[in-house]
Structure formats: structure tokens, C-alpha cells
Amino acid sequence: MKRILITGGAGFIGSHLCTRLINEGHDVICLDSYFTGSKENVQHLMTNPHFELVRYDVTNPYYAEVDEIYNLACPASPIHYQYDAVKTVKTSVMGAINMLTLGRQVNAKVLQASTSEVYGDPIVHPQTEDYWGNVNPIGIRSCYDEGKRCAETLFMDYHRQKKLRIKIIRIFNTYGPNMHPHDGRVVSNFIVQALKNEDIALYGDGSQTRSFQYVDDLIEGMIRMMNTEDDFIGPVNIGNPHEFTIKELAEKVVALTGSKSKFIFKPLPYDDPKQRQPNISLAKEKLNWQPTIQLEEGLIKTIDYFRKIVI
Ligand code: NAD
Ligand code: UDP
């Protein structure tokens, strides 16, 4: 049994990670400011004596004797990370420093939940980990992209300079139950609109692409990464390489919900990446991991979840 700290544990991905690690018999501390996460996401764990929920902002130093730290705290949807852009940078950068410092104090291994956004609007396609990206440093997505890039830098420097044990994963678009119905991301938006028979809003002409990963696959990859030998630190892409246009996603959601929704088109947000697909050769080789849940199966599970919470 390990003592594990999960920052951002009450969010979408964090709540699945808490559940999985508790089910494996570990002691879990879930740290969250509830900016985008909620107690409801982890309510089912509250009576478990191995689970502790702490309201805390990772921009402040934190101390607890733990063996492993998963650093997930950071808003992930463009609407939320742009709401207070300065705070987003602080969360990424100061949160990373605080968790790396804690890692040093208690000799814990620290895993950073980085993102495909470090590749920006990628020119190399599919994206491999050795690609340095095409990121606008002064745009409206920069608070998130550059915050996450700086966090990766800090992780690498703590490893090189202070010999800390670290792991970096770059997560590609992930969806599933516990996504906030109004968090503005494309999968949740389309499902909620479809279930309510409202217009489905495609930004731009819907020809931009993303590769969607079901959350259970991500959690498996994340835990495998944490458990690798100390000499493998990443970064490693964790995503599903099946690439879809946003219009194809909308069509699938409509078909699977039996919705009467119509498509409407809204302006494409500034700096919206045109294409995104992970090359997962490294994850296959080092983690013996690849996604097992394809889009239709994952969407059915996610739609079931939203049917229960969307009025
Ligand atoms: P989410 O918004 O549901 O979860 C983020 C959690 O962090 C929330 O519970 C939020 O309240 C908490 N948080 C935010 N700022 C905080 C702060 N200052 N102190 C403490 N807690 C704070 O998003 P998610 O999709 O679950 O993303 C989790 C992590 O995975 C993020 O770091 C995100 O960048 C990364 N990621 C997610 C995706 C994706 O597709 N979902 C893709 C790439 C990377
Ligand atoms: N998008 C859309 N309609 C929506 C929400 C998003 O067409 O209601 C588009 C968005 O412009 C982007 C893609 O879907 O091209 C994925 O958006 P999301 O915010 O989910 O993730 P990210 O852009 O961070 O990959």
C-alpha cells in the first residue's frame, strides 16, 4: 500500500484516478480548490478511511508524508483556463514548484499531467514527443500552453539539478463520466446539446481534428507510467491515435443519442489548433500500453452518464 497525493483530485480525470487508486488499496489524499472540480465527483469515496479530501490551493506550499504525487491541479477547458489567465499560469507554475519541493522534502516520485497543448497548433503530424511544438507565447491559450510548458521545464530541472524522481505524461483530449456539463469542452457540449435537442454549435467549419481518448484508458496509462523504472521519465504521449473531425464527432453524438439537434456554425476561437493526433509508439514500447476503448463505445458510456445528470 502506498500513500498517494493527487492534486486536482476532485476534477474530471482526478476523480477517476482517486477511485482507481483507492480500489487498488492505497491511501489517497485528494487536494482540490474546487475551481472546476467538485466534492460530488469523489462523494462515493468519502466514507472510505483510506481517502482524505482536502480543500487546498496548490499555489501555496503543502506538506504531507507521501510516496507518490500525481499533479493534476489546473483548469483544462479553454473557457475555464481563460477565465482567470493569470491564476492559470500561477497554478501551473507555482503548483509545479510546490509539488516538486514536496517531492524533495519527503522523497516522493512526482508525475506531471502535461498536455498535447505543449505542441500548440502542430506542424508535425502526428505529434511525437521530440517535436518542440508551435505555440503562440502571447495569445489567449498561452496561459495554459506556456504554463504547462514551464511546468515541464521545472520538472526536468528538478530531475537534472536535484535528482528528483519525476514522470511527465502528455495527455491528449480525454472524455468520459464526471466531465462538468458546462465546462465548454467539445464532447460534453455536444452531448448536452444533443440530449436537450438544442442546436449543436460547431466552431469554424468543423474540419479541425482531435483524437479522443476515453478516461479509463488514460488512467491505465498514467498508473503504468508512475510505476515505470526511475530511469524512464518521459515525456510520453498518452492518447488515442484515432483522429476525427469535429463534424464527425457531432454526427456520432447525434446518431448515438437519437437527437433532433441541428448543426450551427460559430466563429473558430483564436489559435484553435487545426489538427491533433498522438504518436503513441513510445507508450507502446515503454508502458506496454495502448487504448482499448474506441470512440463509439466511450461515447455510449459518457452519454449514459450525462442522461442521468442533464435535465
Ligand atoms: P478539471 O478541470 O476537471 O480538473 C482540474 C482540477 O484541478 C479541478 O478539480 C480543479 O478544481 C482543480 N484545480 C484547479 N486549480 C487549482 C488550484 N490552484 N489548486 C488546487 N486545485 C485546483 O480538468 P481535467 O480534465 O480533469 O484535467 C486534469 C489535468 O489533466 C489538468 O492538469 C489538465 O491540464 C490535464 N489534461 C487534461 C486533458 C483532458 O482532455 N481532459 C488533456 C490534457 C491535459
Ligand atoms: N469545439 C466546437 N464546439 C464546442 C466546443 C469546442 O466546435 O462546443 C471545437 C473547438 O473549437 C476545438 C475542438 O472542438 O477545435 C476541441 O475543443 P476543446 O475545447 O474540447 O479542446 P481543445 O481545443 O483544448 O483541444
Side-chain angles (χ1 to χ4, degrees):
M1 186 170 81
K2 289 182 279 200
R3 299 160 303 175
I4 302 174
L5 174 65
I6 304 176
T7 75
F12 156 51
I13 295 171
S15 59
H16 288 270
L17 185 62
C18 288
T19 305
R20 168 79 185 262
L21 292 172
I22 283 287
N23 288 342
E24 287 182 2
H26 301 293
D27 253 339
V28 171
I29 303 175
C30 167
L31 219 65
D32 207 295
S33 67
Y34 309 128
F35 175 54
T36 51
S38 68
K39 290 180 198 168
E40 283 71 29
N41 282 341
V42 288
Q43 200 171 13
H44 57 289
L45 302 173
M46 300 284 203
T47 53
N48 190 313
H50 295 290
F51 182 74
E52 288 166 73
L53 179 60
V54 183
R55 180 193 289 265
Y56 202 80
D57 187 319
V58 294
T59 58
N60 301 296
Y62 181 77
Y63 184 87
E65 297 211 338
V66 291
D67 306 300
E68 293 178 350
I69 303 167
Y70 288 84
N71 187 35
L72 274 65
C74 186
S77 112
I79 290 178
H80 288 138
Y81 69 62
Q82 287 162 17
Y83 172 77
D84 185 346
V86 173
K87 178 71 195 230
T88 299
V89 178
K90 286 184 181 168
T91 295
S92 262
V93 175
M94 293 163 68
I97 292 172
N98 288 327
M99 290 308 127
L100 290 162
T101 303
L102 175 59
R104 281 197 83 204
Q105 287 171 324
V106 300
N107 190 27
K109 212 187 310 184
V110 195
L111 180 144
Q112 169 66 358
S114 191
T115 168
S116 51
E117 283 285 320
V118 301
Y119 302 121
D121 190 2
I123 293 162
V124 169
H125 192 75
Q127 292 79 56
T128 43
E129 291 85 352
D130 56 5
Y131 176 47
W132 292 351
N134 177 34
V135 177
N136 177 357
I138 55 169
I140 54 170
R141 294 176 84 100
S142 313
C143 59
Y144 184 72
D145 299 11
E146 297 290 16
K148 288 284 187 178
R149 284 167 68 98
C150 184
E152 284 200 13
T153 307
L154 284 161
F155 269 69
M156 291 305 296
D157 286 337
Y158 267 75
H159 174 69
R160 276 188 292 255
Q161 201 177 320
K162 301 177 193 290
K163 310 297 171 220
L164 188 70
R165 291 175 299 149
I166 63 141
K167 308 278 175 191
I168 300 172
I169 59 168
R170 291 180 178 156
I171 303 170
F172 283 65
N173 295 65
T174 304
Y175 67 98
N178 293 4
M179 288 186 93
H180 194 286
H182 304 299
D183 94 350
R185 281 182 277 192
V186 68
V187 175
S188 43
N189 270 8
F190 284 0
I191 292 177
V192 170
Q193 288 158 350
L195 290 176
K196 292 180 165 177
N197 292 310
E198 291 173 354
D199 289 341
I200 291 184
L202 287 83
Y203 303 159
D205 62 4
S207 66
Q208 70 274 33
T209 68
R210 295 292 187 274
S211 306
F212 298 100
Q213 154 174 251
Y214 188 67
V215 64
D216 289 358
D217 282 329
L218 166 63
I219 299 298
E220 181 63 33
M222 208 181 242
I223 291 173
R224 283 190 193 208
M225 179 60 175
M226 183 61 108
N227 292 335
T228 50
E229 297 295 326
D230 289 349
D231 62 353
F232 182 61
I233 60 174
V236 59
N237 291 337
I238 303 286
N240 188 323
H242 284 196
E243 186 179 355
F244 295 87
T245 66
I246 294 306
K247 186 145 183 278
E248 285 169 334
L249 173 73
E251 286 162 353
K252 272 196 187 293
V253 169
V254 166
L256 292 171
T257 50
S259 172
K260 298 187 184 67
S261 295
K262 304 268 181 303
F263 295 163
I264 58 166
F265 294 88
K266 289 192 173 172
L268 192 65
Y270 193 63
D271 280 345
D272 199 281
K274 286 179 275 305
Q275 55 181 1
R276 188 180 285 156
Q277 187 201 123
N279 177 315
I280 58 164
S281 305
L282 189 64
K284 281 183 180 164
E285 181 198 329
K286 297 287 188 181
L287 313 181
N288 189 24
W289 172 92
Q290 62 181 338
T292 58
I293 300 163
Q294 298 310 335
L295 186 60
E296 191 156 316
E297 187 186 349
L299 282 179
I300 290 169
K301 291 171 195 265
T302 311
I303 289 165
D304 279 352
Y305 167 78
F306 277 107
R307 271 192 210 284
K308 291 182 198 123
I309 64 161
V310 172
I311 306 127

